[in-house]
Amino acid sequence: MTTPPSFQVGDGLLLVDPQNDFCPGGSLPVANGDAVMPVLNAWAEAAHGAGAAIFVSRDWHPGRTTHFKEWGGLWPPHCVIDTRGAEFHPALRLPPAAVVISKGMGETEDAYSAFQARDDSGVLLAALLHQRNVRHLYVMGLATDYCVKASTLDGLSAAFGVTVVAQGVRAVNLQPEDGDHALAAMRAAGAHVND
């Protein structure tokens, strides 16, 4: 397992959608999605020990949304508000200081990026990062080819440095190489991919 860095002033950690529905047994499972939890835990522990900001995004969908196939979207129902599938995976160990941010809450909100997510007060991730003086994000979670990729590209567009921790991500792979293509796209956009 990749050893977490010595977090520096200005570093932050973003854990993307480590939820039951994206793990084996969920309604939209990523193959071996649960295998990222020890990596996420190790990095969260290191970040917490260094006093670095930790953010955890979650899909938080209403039961009826254009994000789901039944109403014109791409996906089966998943991560519906206040269901077991929307809960964080039970193996995830979050420090008490971790900030949970939610996305996809509107009936027409087709959110993938954690930069579309907000805290309980409605503050978007970019503003939360600026409040904590974060300039560089370590990103990992589910899934490589969708929400991790979208979050990374949005982070770069918002002028944050981004490192994707490859051992802490897994892909949906609707096509077999989608995950590899996503990592290549993130590299091409300026992200560092930490193997």
Side-chain angles (χ1 to χ4, degrees):
M1 182 168 65
T2 301
T3 303
S6 297
F7 282 84
Q8 304 297 314
V9 173
D11 288 344
L13 178 65
L14 174 61
L15 308 180
V16 178
D17 302 356
Q19 293 166 273
N20 285 325
D21 270 344
F22 297 133
C23 293
S27 65
L28 189 55
V30 175
N32 298 313
D34 53 344
V36 304
M37 301 306 159
V39 180
L40 272 58
N41 291 342
W43 284 68
E45 182 179 0
H48 178 65
I54 303 168
F55 297 92
V56 189
S57 70
R58 64 182 179 183
D59 272 6
W60 201 236
H61 298 304
R64 179 180 178 130
T65 167
T66 55
H67 191 66
F68 296 162
K69 273 183 184 173
E70 190 175 349
W71 292 283
L74 186 61
W75 307 107
H78 62 275
C79 299
V80 173
I81 294 169
D82 292 329
T83 64
R84 184 186 176 283
E87 293 173 3
F88 292 127
H89 191 275
L92 183 69
R93 302 283 176 259
L94 292 177
V99 177
V100 175
I101 53 175
S102 304
K103 59 188 171 69
M105 295 176 284
E107 290 187 3
T108 59
E109 187 179 341
D110 202 31
Y112 291 93
S113 170
F115 281 83
Q116 295 169 280
R118 44 205 179 270
D119 69 5
D120 289 340
S121 301
V123 181
L124 289 165
L125 176 59
L128 294 167
L129 293 172
H130 287 304
Q131 287 172 10
R132 294 288 301 272
N133 298 311
V134 174
R135 297 183 299 278
H136 181 271
L137 271 179
Y138 290 93
V139 178
M140 61 197 80
L142 304 170
T144 314
D145 36 355
Y146 289 92
C147 297
V148 170
K149 177 184 172 186
S151 301
T152 295
L153 297 179
D154 280 356
L156 294 166
S157 293
F160 294 96
V162 179
T163 297
V164 179
V165 180
Q167 290 190 353
V169 298
R170 295 292 185 278
V172 174
N173 282 336
L174 289 179
Q175 300 299 321
E177 296 183 351
D178 282 354
D180 292 338
H181 291 158
L183 289 171
M186 290 184 270
R187 280 192 185 98
H192 177 68
V193 178
N194 179 348
D195 295 319

